Amino acid sequence: MAKWGEGDPRWIVEERPDATNVNNWHWTEKNATPWSKDRLHQLFQSFKIGHSDIECAVDSVDKCSGEATVNNRKGKLIFFYEWELVLKWSGKLLKNSKLSHKGKLTIPNLSEENELADVEITVTIDESNDESETLKQFMYNVGRDRVRQQLASYIRELKEEYSKNLILPKKGDEAGAGNSVANFKNANNTRDAVQNTLVAAPKLNVSGIGCKLDVRTLSMTEEFHCSANDLYNALTKPEMVTAFTRAPAKVDAVRGGEFILYGGNVLGKFEELVPEKKIKQSWRLKNWSSGHYSNVIIELEETSSSTMMSLKQTGIPASEYDAMKINWYRYYWHSIKQTFGFGTSISDAL
């Protein structure tokens, strides 16, 4: 048996005025969710991103879903946060200052489990044309890094704000809460170094952005001998997509729903759906640069004997352009016709 006053100090109850969590042994927790939501809205309210002849800004937070908590266990601070953010952005070319374009930045996985450099940020625009594609490319090349800097500020401030008084001073500790902050910072040198490296990263050479873009636009039409409803279903019904791709397919045909085809090599989201008329998608190949999506608009027009399909795809990496038209025909249009018989008119089949 240990003598009085000896033994494991974690189990010795010290005389303290508050009599709370002596020696920081017990689990304590602070809810940082309300503070985090307020701070994220502040960081992305009218956040300007500009260069040379381009002026863009993150106007507001459209979606902020998630939570953040800070825990103290055995004198160690543990931070948990997980957020899904959608930011509204707008921009214009200064040479045409009257015309402004709008879009969104989507951040699905801001979490303590991911380094900031690995956090996915997708860039989309509401209406696709040459000018808006220029702005989208600028936000992809420059805007995403600026957004990551703001996210780094949120994480740093979260840790500084919620490390205060969470590790309580032990008996004889005159420094009090101030030491808890110092201890916390020392314990997180590695992570802070990563964030500081990100924030202090060399400036991008963005000269020429807005003048020469390595993306292209594809337009094509195809005739199908079926109703517009049948073709719309072939492009949106999971069982029909699985049939013509000849592989398991995930298709959630609602606004914001995801699709994953051809073993994950084709993926994206549905941005707009008008039954029998229009399908708008954010569309990419798996091997494209992280976060880069093209915009696909498929429009259907039913005639007396067939349905005309027109496709416009903007933001195609130039290196993929030559193969894109061939692959749309081979893996979509030809396969749909072959699978469902949409390549032969009813009169020809009789």
Side-chain angles (χ1 to χ4, degrees):
M1 180 179 292
K3 296 180 181 179
W4 180 261
E6 296 180 356
D8 190 335
R10 296 172 299 180
W11 293 96
I12 298 175
V13 179
E14 300 176 354
E15 296 179 0
R16 354 175 357 114
D18 55 17
T20 302
N21 198 22
V22 291
N23 287 327
N24 303 294
W25 176 248
H26 300 294
W27 185 285
T28 57
E29 181 176 284
K30 281 186 178 182
N31 179 12
T33 300
W35 178 90
S36 293
K37 287 187 174 181
D38 288 343
R39 188 62 186 128
L40 287 167
H41 277 84
Q42 292 168 3
L43 286 169
F44 292 110
Q45 183 70 39
S46 300
F47 174 57
K48 297 187 181 302
I49 305 170
H51 175 81
S52 185
D53 61 341
I54 294 179
E55 184 178 278
C56 293
V58 176
D59 301 314
S60 62
V61 178
D62 189 43
K63 180 180 181 181
C64 183
S65 176
E67 61 180 344
T69 59
V70 187
N71 300 287
N72 168 26
R73 175 59 168 159
K74 302 180 184 179
K76 181 181 179 181
L77 287 176
I78 305 171
F79 291 83
F80 297 101
Y81 54 90
E82 186 172 5
W83 295 102
E84 179 184 359
L85 302 173
V86 178
L87 313 176
K88 290 184 176 180
W89 69 274
S90 61
K92 60 186 177 181
L93 300 180
L94 296 181
K95 65 181 181 181
N96 190 11
S97 59
K98 293 182 179 180
L99 186 60
S100 179
H101 300 271
K102 298 181 182 295
K104 291 183 179 179
L105 296 162
T106 302
I107 307 167
N109 62 340
L110 177 62
S111 166
E112 82 285 344
E113 296 180 354
N114 302 313
E115 297 294 344
L116 272 178
D118 298 328
V119 171
E120 181 182 359
I121 303 177
T122 61
V123 184
T124 59
I125 51 176
D126 293 346
E127 297 291 337
S128 178
N129 54 52
D130 290 342
E131 192 168 286
S132 64
E133 287 293 336
T134 297
L135 295 169
K136 177 186 172 184
Q137 193 72 14
F138 173 80
M139 289 297 290
Y140 178 81
N141 290 336
V142 178
R144 294 190 309 158
D145 285 340
R146 294 291 305 280
V147 168
R148 285 194 175 96
Q149 290 178 16
Q150 293 296 87
L151 296 176
S153 295
Y154 157 70
I155 295 170
R156 183 180 64 252
E157 292 174 18
L158 170 70
K159 293 179 177 181
E160 291 176 352
E161 179 70 21
Y162 279 85
S163 63
K164 297 174 184 177
N165 300 321
L166 193 58
I167 295 182
L168 298 173
K170 299 178 182 179
K171 185 177 180 179
D173 188 349
E174 300 294 336
N179 274 353
S180 68
V181 178
N183 292 337
F184 152 73
K185 289 182 176 178
N186 290 335
N188 288 275
N189 278 342
T190 300
R191 197 176 190 96
D192 286 345
V194 172
Q195 292 168 358
N196 290 337
T197 300
L198 176 66
V199 174
K203 294 182 179 180
L204 288 173
N205 180 7
V206 295
S207 60
I209 288 181
C211 299
K212 295 181 180 179
L213 297 177
D214 203 21
V215 293
R216 297 186 184 179
T217 297
L218 170 67
S219 297
M220 62 189 307
T221 60
E222 191 73 23
E223 183 180 17
F224 293 84
H225 292 286
C226 64
S227 68
N229 182 64
D230 287 341
L231 183 54
Y232 181 87
N233 287 338
L235 293 167
T236 57
K237 297 291 186 183
E239 62 275 14
M240 296 185 74
V241 176
T242 296
F244 83 76
T245 60
R246 296 171 176 79
K250 176 183 177 182
V251 182
D252 184 15
V254 297
R255 187 166 186 172
E258 295 182 341
F259 60 87
I260 303 175
L261 315 179
Y262 292 106
N265 289 311
V266 174
L267 64 153
K269 289 185 179 181
F270 290 96
E271 303 293 344
E272 183 181 355
L273 291 155
V274 181
E276 304 180 20
K277 296 289 185 182
K278 184 179 181 180
I279 300 170
K280 183 177 180 181
Q281 300 171 330
S282 296
W283 191 101
R284 63 173 278 126
L285 293 177
K286 183 180 180 180
N287 65 349
W288 287 4
S289 299
S290 175
H292 178 73
Y293 285 77
S294 67
N295 290 284
V296 170
I297 299 177
I298 297 172
E299 294 182 308
L300 310 178
E301 183 178 352
E302 185 171 336
T303 67
S304 58
S305 59
S306 63
T307 296
M308 295 301 299
M309 182 285 309
S310 63
L311 175 143
K312 182 178 182 181
Q313 183 180 17
T314 57
I316 303 170
S319 60
E320 301 284 346
Y321 179 81
D322 291 338
M324 192 60 61
K325 185 173 183 178
I326 295 173
N327 290 337
W328 273 110
Y329 179 78
R330 177 183 298 171
Y331 296 110
Y332 275 77
W333 317 139
H334 177 72
S335 186
I336 287 174
K337 290 178 178 182
Q338 188 179 53
T339 302
F340 304 115
F342 294 168
T344 305
S345 66
I346 295 176
S347 60
D348 290 339
L350 295 177

